[in-house]
């Protein structure tokens, strides 16, 4: 394990080693290759290279906006400048499968740039599964206001992953006398809900909705 992780007894967490970073980079490249492969098999109207470019751009935009934090919580979690929106867009453009893969890749990228490793299951819940859930935005393509509904569902999916992780691994941070499950529900809600509401308001603006439709047309066209 020392090639990949070393346990820091003072910080009560695992520290990534060069081998760990290399492994994560390999997984990230494999996920990107899978996204391109799925695009190539999906038909001439959705070429793999173009799909990979849009997915990579969305990840880059999400990464940049994730650093623009309007508020940060002491034990992780922050309100960002619509970073979740950019990953959810991929599910809206190309469907849930590509959206989930892109979200998982983005979760790996988040893990590389800002790792917090308490336990293997915690890593899965807080990084690839939580961000992979943002691809669930592609589950409602034919529903009225499909992207808004899908975005809400995807953010809820991410929220539940963090709640489970918080309850299992970080219950000790709950204030004395407060139920641990209630604490993790409220804690994660304090940064997920404001960004969700702000994004829904943004998507409700007619000009934004029109722009989303135009971008989607460009994404799926030749």
């Amino acid at each position: 394990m020392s090639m990949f992780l070393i346990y820091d007894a003072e910080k009560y967490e695992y520290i990534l080693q060069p081998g760990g970073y290399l492994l994560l980079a390999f997984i990230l490249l494999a996920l990107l290759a899978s996204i391109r492969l799925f695009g190539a098999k999906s038909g001439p109207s959705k070429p793999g290279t173009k799909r990979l470019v849009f997915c990579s751009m969305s990840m880059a935009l999400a990464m940049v906006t994730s650093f623009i934090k309007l508020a940060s919580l002491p034990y992780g979690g922050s309100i960002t400048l619509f970073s979740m929106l950019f990953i959810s867009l991929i599910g809206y453009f190309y469907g849930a499968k590509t959206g989930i893969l892109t979200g998982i890749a983005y979760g790996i990228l988040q893990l590389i740039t800002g790792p917090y490793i308490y336990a293997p299951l915690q890593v899965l819940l807080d990084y690839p599964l939580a961000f992979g859930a943002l691809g669930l935005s592609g589950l409602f393509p034919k529903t009225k206001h499909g992207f808004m509904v899908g975005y809400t569902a995807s953010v809820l999916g991410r929220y539940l992953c963090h709640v489970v992780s918080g309850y299992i691994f970080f219950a000790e941070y709950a204030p004395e006398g407060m139920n641990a499950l209630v604490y993790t529900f409220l804690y994660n809600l304090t940064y997920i809900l404001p960004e969700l509401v702000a994004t829904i308001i943004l998507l409700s603006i007619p000009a934004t909705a029109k722009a989303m439709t135009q971008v989607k047309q460009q994404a799926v066209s030749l």
Side-chain angles (χ1 to χ4, degrees):
M1 284 288 286
S2 60
M3 289 180 58
F4 303 99
L5 294 169
I6 289 181
Y7 185 70
D8 188 328
E10 294 183 359
K11 296 182 178 179
Y12 301 102
E13 65 179 281
Y14 290 91
I15 307 300
L16 272 174
Q17 298 303 295
Y21 283 106
L22 285 174
L23 178 61
L24 289 174
F26 176 79
I27 295 172
L28 178 59
L29 290 173
L31 287 166
L32 293 175
S34 298
I35 291 169
R36 188 187 184 285
L37 181 63
F38 282 137
K41 289 183 176 180
S42 62
S45 63
K46 301 174 184 177
T49 301
K50 186 172 185 178
R51 177 178 294 208
L52 179 58
V53 168
F54 268 87
C55 293
S56 300
M57 287 175 59
S58 293
M59 288 174 57
L61 288 169
M63 201 68 206
V64 170
T65 52
S66 73
F67 291 121
I68 305 175
K69 299 178 180 180
L70 307 180
S72 296
L73 274 68
Y75 304 119
S78 58
I79 305 171
T80 67
L81 190 65
F82 306 113
S83 64
M84 293 187 292
L85 171 63
F86 293 106
I87 301 300
S88 295
L89 277 174
I90 296 303
Y92 175 59
F93 291 163
Y94 300 118
K97 182 184 291 185
T98 299
I100 291 171
L101 278 174
T102 303
I104 292 173
Y106 176 67
I108 296 296
L109 188 59
Q110 283 281 344
L111 180 56
I112 291 173
T113 57
Y116 181 74
I117 305 174
Y118 186 82
L121 180 58
Q122 173 264 323
V123 171
L124 287 174
L125 286 167
D126 283 335
Y127 291 97
L129 290 182
F131 291 105
L134 295 177
L136 298 176
S137 56
L139 290 178
F140 308 94
K142 297 181 180 180
T143 306
K144 186 178 181 181
H145 305 300
F147 179 55
M148 200 175 295
V149 173
Y151 175 76
T152 303
S154 68
V155 173
L156 178 61
R158 179 190 171 187
Y159 170 67
L160 291 176
C161 287
H162 290 316
V163 166
V164 173
S165 173
Y167 180 66
I168 295 174
F169 298 105
F170 304 107
E172 63 187 274
Y173 294 106
E176 186 176 353
M178 187 176 190
N179 181 274
L181 184 58
V182 173
Y183 170 73
T184 189
F185 265 109
L186 294 176
Y187 180 91
N188 288 286
L189 200 63
T190 55
Y191 67 91
I192 290 287
L193 184 60
E195 188 167 337
L196 171 63
V197 172
T199 306
I200 292 297
I201 293 172
L202 178 68
L203 295 174
S204 301
I205 300 172
T208 304
K210 183 178 179 180
M212 292 294 180
T213 301
Q214 292 175 345
V215 174
K216 182 177 181 179
Q217 290 174 349
Q218 294 177 5
V220 301
S221 66
L222 289 173

